């Protein structure tokens, strides 16, 4: 009688976009024959939304056009077709920019991912456990996971997809952390509701989350002054005025030094300008060739790049939707929004107000100012991700995980296998999504996150095939 071997179990911790995309591609590549149980642990009700796409704020839009966001690398129009099929933009008068490109609300993208995953959930090919994982430990050659209630699950492979930790409150704000109008995590639903219409608001940080906050305040009828500060005082950039192909070749002979790469980028910017193109085309080329560029740089050069150009990279590479840019432009034009390169030197409560001394970055002068509310938008603290959740800290202490030396997330090798304290791979433990970007390079925007999820799904399948003497996965379907 043939023996019936139980299916191996793949546990995915975190069912935001990365975890959901990986589950979907694992299930899809298995076709009709199930080779493994795919279990996603995610406390949120819906898989696929995560931090970015679970917002219900109407002003929170995807920051690239819909036809550039897809669950399938070989089918970039998939989301755009979903929008047509479901008429999802019928009620959203502001969804289109003046050139016919759609920038739906982020929740709509979350609904698309959930809809694509739904058949796999109803067939049982993907299982969703609505729990937060509180422990992951080795159990012989397998893994033991525990949720907060103490329930234990055994898995053959584990993928960590817990990308965005809660933003950390800057230490300079510690003296006012209990003030009712200090918003430490602006991504929490209703976080801005404490801010009054006429409140003077200090926004700490000036990236995409700051743009979300300023639009969210506008939507609530806020009319008070807003000061947004960041290290360099740069503001989020919009998209190119016209469609442009990426410009520049940085990958056929990739640079091995950060300074050489930056020189080439500057030259490409000049050449692009001479051809009537904007900087967007060059940055798009760097981004699309990002993984080859990154792999060619030794660790010290990667770190140099992160240290010296990350703020510039972030504002040029992550762009805001035209609708969002219009709100910011108007707020700046009317003087309601000011942007400054400054640090917080000191803070104190003064009655119900918050007294802040700002240090100008260039002149080092000190300016005391009073605000009614402070909103932190410095973004998720990826560098400190291993201390953001006790189970990750314990995995690090057990030598299973280590911080990426670039400061960008969790260390892993080129198979996306986590690297332990001794630098050796923790076999069967994978990192999926933006936390792996220190190894893989640009890995935050959807196209790269999607490709990476497909890649890690294949790595997990290979690992199971190599280690469990299982039949190879059917990749044909
Ligand atoms: C606000 C914001 C807006 C963005 N907008 C865009 C955009 O418009 N276009 C674009 O291309 N990219 C955008 N991005 C980039 C974005 O990072 C990726 O697109 C993608 O959302 C990353 O998803 P993720 O699943 O890796 O991470 P996350 O969204 O952080 O998902 C991680 C999930 O893990 C779960 N989790 C955490 N801990 C545990 C635990 N212990 N047990 C179980 N589950 C756990 C969380 O509940 C969460 O759902 C945006 C990013 C942010 C932060």
């Amino acid at each position: 009688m043939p023996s019936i071997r139980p299916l191996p179990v793949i546990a995915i911790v975190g069912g935001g976009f990365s975890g959901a995309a990986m589950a979907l591609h694992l299930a899809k590549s298995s076709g009709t024959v199930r080779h493994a149980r795919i279990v996603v642990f995610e406390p949120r009700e819906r898989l696929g939304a995560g931090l970015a796409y679970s917002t219900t704020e109407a002003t929170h839009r995807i920051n690239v056009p819909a036809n550039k966001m897809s669950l399938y690398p070989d089918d970039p129009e998939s989301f755009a077709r979903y929008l047509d099929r479901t008429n999802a933009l019928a009620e959203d008068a502001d969804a289109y920019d003046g050139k016919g490109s759609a920038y739906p609300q982020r929740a709509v993208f979350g609904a698309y991912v959930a809809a694509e995953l739904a058949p796999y959930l109803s067939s049982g090919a993907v299982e969703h456990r609505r729990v937060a994982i509180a422990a992951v430990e080795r159990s012989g050659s397998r893994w033991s996971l525990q949720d907060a209630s103490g329930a234990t699950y055994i898995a053959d492979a584990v993928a960590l997809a817990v990308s965005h930790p809660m933003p950390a409150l800057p230490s300079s704000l510690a003296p006012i952390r209990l003030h009712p109008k200090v918003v430490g995590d602006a991504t929490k639903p209703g976080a801005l509701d404490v801010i009054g219409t006429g409140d003077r608001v200090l926004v700490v940080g000036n990236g995409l989350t700051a743009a979300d906050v300023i639009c969210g305040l506008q939507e609530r009828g806020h009319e008070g002054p807003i000061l947004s500060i960041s290290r360099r005082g740069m503001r989020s950039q919009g998209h190119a005025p016209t469609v442009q192909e990426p410009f520049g070749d940085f990958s056929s002979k990739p640079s091995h030094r950060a300074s050489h790469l930056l020189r080439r980028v500057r030259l490409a910017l000049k050449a692009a300008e001479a051809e009537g193109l904007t900087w967007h085309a060059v940055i798009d080329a760097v981004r699309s060739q990002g993984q080859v560029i990154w792999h060619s740089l030794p660790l010290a050069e990667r770190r140099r790049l992160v240290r010296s150009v990350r703020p510039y990279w972030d504002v040029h590479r992550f762009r805001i939707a035209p609708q969002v840019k219009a709100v910011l432009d108007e707020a700046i034009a009317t003087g309601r929004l000011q942007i400054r390169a400054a640090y917080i030197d000191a803070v104190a409560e003064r009655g119900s107000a918050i007294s802040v001394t700002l240090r100008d970055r260039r002149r080092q002068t000190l300016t005391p100012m009073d605000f009614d509310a402070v909103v932190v938008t410095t973004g998720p603290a990826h560098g400190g991700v291993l201390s953001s959740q006790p189970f990750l800290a314990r995995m690090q202490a057990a030598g299973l995980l280590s911080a990426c030396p670039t400061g960008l997330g969790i260390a892993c090798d080129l198979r996306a296998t986590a690297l332990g304290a001794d630098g050796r791979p923790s076999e069967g433990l994978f990192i999926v999504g933006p936390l792996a970007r220190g190894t893989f390079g640009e890995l935050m925007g959807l196209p790269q996150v999607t490709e990476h999820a497909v890649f890690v799904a294949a790595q997990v399948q290979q690992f199971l095939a190599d280690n469990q003497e299982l039949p190879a996965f059917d990749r044909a379907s």
Side-chain angles (χ1 to χ4, degrees):
M1 212 171 109
S3 68
I4 300 172
R5 209 172 2 186
L7 289 174
V9 178
I10 303 168
I12 301 175
V13 182
F17 180 79
S18 299
M22 181 177 161
L24 180 140
H25 285 286
L26 277 168
K28 190 167 174 281
S29 65
S30 291
T32 48
V33 185
R34 283 180 66 193
H35 296 285
R37 280 182 62 197
I38 304 160
V39 187
V40 185
F41 295 92
E42 168 59 60
R44 293 178 206 256
E45 187 183 346
R46 204 166 62 169
L47 290 185
L51 177 67
Y53 311 107
S54 57
T55 169
T56 50
E57 295 268 341
T59 56
H60 291 179
R61 295 186 177 277
I62 59 169
N63 52 32
V64 292
N67 60 1
K68 292 198 173 158
M69 302 228 339
S70 168
L71 259 170
Y72 310 99
D74 53 359
D75 183 10
E77 296 288 330
S78 162
F79 178 42
R81 282 201 308 279
Y82 166 87
L83 294 175
D84 286 344
R85 201 166 59 237
T86 57
N87 213 8
L89 302 183
E91 307 284 305
D92 183 1
D94 297 329
Y96 290 89
D97 68 358
K99 295 173 239 154
S101 293
Y103 291 83
Q105 291 164 8
R106 291 211 293 271
V108 177
F109 185 78
Y112 152 75
V113 180
E116 293 295 305
L117 206 56
Y120 298 105
L121 284 166
S122 32
S123 72
V126 174
E127 301 167 43
H128 177 193
R129 294 266 185 286
R130 277 198 69 187
V131 292
I133 288 301
V136 178
E137 289 161 6
R138 272 241 183 256
S139 173
S141 62
R142 306 179 83 195
W143 295 91
S144 157
L145 295 87
Q146 220 173 68
D147 68 23
S149 74
T152 301
Y153 313 84
I154 298 296
D156 297 86
V158 175
L160 295 180
V162 293
S163 302
H164 300 303
M166 239 184 79
L169 196 76
S171 55
S172 56
L173 293 178
I176 53 164
R177 68 183 186 287
L178 298 179
H179 189 286
K181 291 195 180 186
V182 171
V183 179
D185 183 359
T187 62
K188 271 197 187 141
L192 300 179
D193 294 348
V194 294
I195 297 175
T197 327
D199 280 357
R200 299 158 294 175
V201 180
L202 174 67
V203 177
V204 183
N206 200 13
L208 297 183
T209 310
D212 276 352
V213 164
I214 292 159
C215 289
L217 287 173
Q218 154 105 355
E219 179 80 354
R220 286 168 171 76
H222 177 258
E223 290 170 350
I226 305 172
L227 175 65
S228 174
I229 59 166
S230 66
R231 275 190 290 172
R232 293 188 169 68
M234 292 181 293
R235 60 165 292 196
S236 301
Q237 301 288 323
H239 289 270
T242 54
V243 177
Q244 306 175 133
E245 288 303 311
F247 181 91
D249 175 10
F250 308 98
S251 53
S252 45
K253 283 188 190 154
S255 302
H256 302 295
R257 292 177 67 91
S259 55
H260 185 251
L261 173 66
L262 295 178
R263 211 164 35 247
R264 287 173 72 182
V265 171
R266 276 188 218 106
L267 287 173
L269 286 167
K270 277 197 185 135
E273 198 182 346
E275 292 200 17
L277 300 170
T278 62
W279 55 265
H280 303 81
V282 177
I283 299 297
D284 288 346
V286 176
R287 182 181 154 190
S288 62
Q289 298 161 42
Q291 302 212 346
V292 179
I293 295 171
W294 194 250
H295 287 154
S296 307
L297 293 168
L299 176 61
E301 297 298 307
R302 292 181 187 183
R303 289 165 67 123
R304 188 161 288 140
L305 216 48
V306 171
R307 243 188 350 261
S308 57
V309 298
R310 187 162 170 209
Y312 297 97
W313 175 247
D314 282 353
V315 295
H316 290 93
R317 173 252 167 282
F318 299 115
R319 294 163 203 164
I320 45 176
Q323 298 87 334
V324 173
K325 183 170 182 294
V327 171
L328 265 57
D329 286 350
E330 201 201 326
I332 290 171
T334 58
R336 198 164 74 79
L337 169 63
Q338 282 187 30
I339 294 173
R340 277 170 62 176
Y343 302 89
I344 292 175
D345 194 74
V347 290
E349 291 190 25
R350 188 207 293 262
S352 65
I354 300 166
S355 167
V356 181
T357 306
L358 295 175
R359 183 180 289 275
D360 184 273
R361 179 169 180 263
R362 287 174 202 96
R363 286 168 289 160
Q364 292 294 310
T365 46
L366 296 174
T367 314
M369 293 181 81
D370 280 352
F371 296 93
D372 303 297
V374 174
V375 187
V376 180
T377 67
T378 42
H382 294 110
V385 65
L386 291 178
S387 50
S388 70
Q389 297 200 46
F391 90 95
L392 294 173
R394 279 197 298 274
M395 289 178 83
Q396 182 180 24
L400 296 168
L401 292 176
S402 56
C404 180
T406 57
L408 293 174
I410 302 180
C412 63
D413 67 12
L414 288 170
R415 298 170 298 151
T417 299
L419 295 175
D422 56 2
R424 295 229 299 268
S426 298
E427 296 297 343
L429 178 63
F430 296 84
I431 309 298
V432 61
L435 289 175
R437 70 196 156 137
T439 299
F440 290 95
E442 174 58 25
L443 185 46
M444 187 59 83
L446 239 288
Q448 284 78 31
V449 178
T450 304
E451 283 168 15
H452 181 71
V454 175
F455 169 79
V456 183
Q459 297 302 310
V460 172
Q461 289 170 335
Q462 190 61 53
F463 170 78
L464 292 181
D466 289 349
N467 290 281
Q468 309 271 329
E469 294 168 15
L470 294 164
F473 278 76
D474 172 13
R475 299 209 173 121
S477 54

